[in-house]
Amino acid sequence: MTLNSITIITIAIAIIIVPTTADIPTNWTDCGLPNATLHWTNVTSSPNPLHTGEQQTVTKSGYVDQVYTNITVEYQQFWLLGKHWFKFLDFKTSACAEHPVICDTKPKQIFTESALHPKLNKLTPHGMYRSRQVYWDTITGEQIGCVDMKVPYVK
């Protein structure tokens, strides 16, 4: 083998073996009930995986079947400990106040909302994290939608 052949093979192996910094697809699911009226079409977390010291941007696109003026979102955050999802955060807030586009959208019209999250505390353990967001019609109390996403947090 010539030096050029060895160089080309070495570069090819490095490209295959060395992980890149490009985002991987976000593992998400629309977990809405069969009668859901809020539907998610795409969810991304960037960067993915999330590394120590980085900020995360979560972007979600979806649509509603009817107009809503008052939506509550329940944020449930989990950390995978062994084979069990450990819930460490659960709170409700106004989805319309946080992301007005969700309540300003006409039926079947795709909307996109985005949130920039602060860096995690440096003592936050690495591993797999899960965010389950359940959406409620605040006026009727009915669950109207749900999205569930998983994001790895690494060094």
Side-chain angles (χ1 to χ4, degrees):
M1 269 193 203
T2 67
L3 182 57
N4 286 342
S5 297
I6 293 171
T7 303
I8 291 170
I9 291 171
T10 303
I11 291 171
I13 290 171
I15 289 171
I16 293 168
I17 294 175
V18 176
T20 64
T21 58
D23 285 350
I24 59 174
T26 302
N27 181 354
W28 71 277
T29 197
D30 183 329
C31 51
L33 299 173
N35 63 340
T37 53
L38 169 60
H39 312 276
W40 298 103
T41 58
N42 193 40
V43 177
T44 60
S45 171
S46 183
N48 190 15
L50 181 65
H51 291 83
T52 303
E54 294 179 324
Q55 286 187 282
Q56 175 192 39
T57 300
V58 175
T59 304
K60 299 180 294 201
S61 297
Y63 66 93
V64 291
D65 293 336
Q66 64 188 61
V67 174
Y68 288 99
T69 57
N70 201 341
I71 298 174
T72 298
V73 58
E74 179 179 12
Y75 291 107
Q76 301 170 337
Q77 306 296 309
F78 302 84
W79 178 51
L80 187 60
L81 188 57
K83 294 183 179 182
H84 177 73
W85 286 107
F86 171 72
K87 187 190 300 184
F88 62 91
L89 188 66
D90 190 337
F91 70 94
K92 293 180 180 179
T93 190
S94 169
C96 299
E98 192 172 47
H99 298 286
V101 68
I102 199 168
C103 292
D104 294 337
T105 301
K106 296 178 179 143
K108 307 296 184 194
Q109 178 183 1
I110 297 289
F111 66 86
T112 299
E113 61 180 47
S114 188
L116 176 64
H117 296 274
K119 295 176 185 177
L120 295 176
N121 182 298
K122 61 184 175 181
L123 299 177
T124 302
H126 293 101
M128 184 63 74
Y129 285 82
R130 176 177 166 209
S131 177
R132 183 171 186 264
Q133 300 158 23
V134 182
Y135 293 80
W136 309 87
D137 179 334
T138 308
I139 296 168
T140 66
E142 288 183 50
Q143 181 178 328
I144 60 171
C146 177
V147 64
D148 197 331
M149 63 183 289
K150 298 173 186 162
V151 176
Y153 178 54
V154 299
K155 290 182 183 180

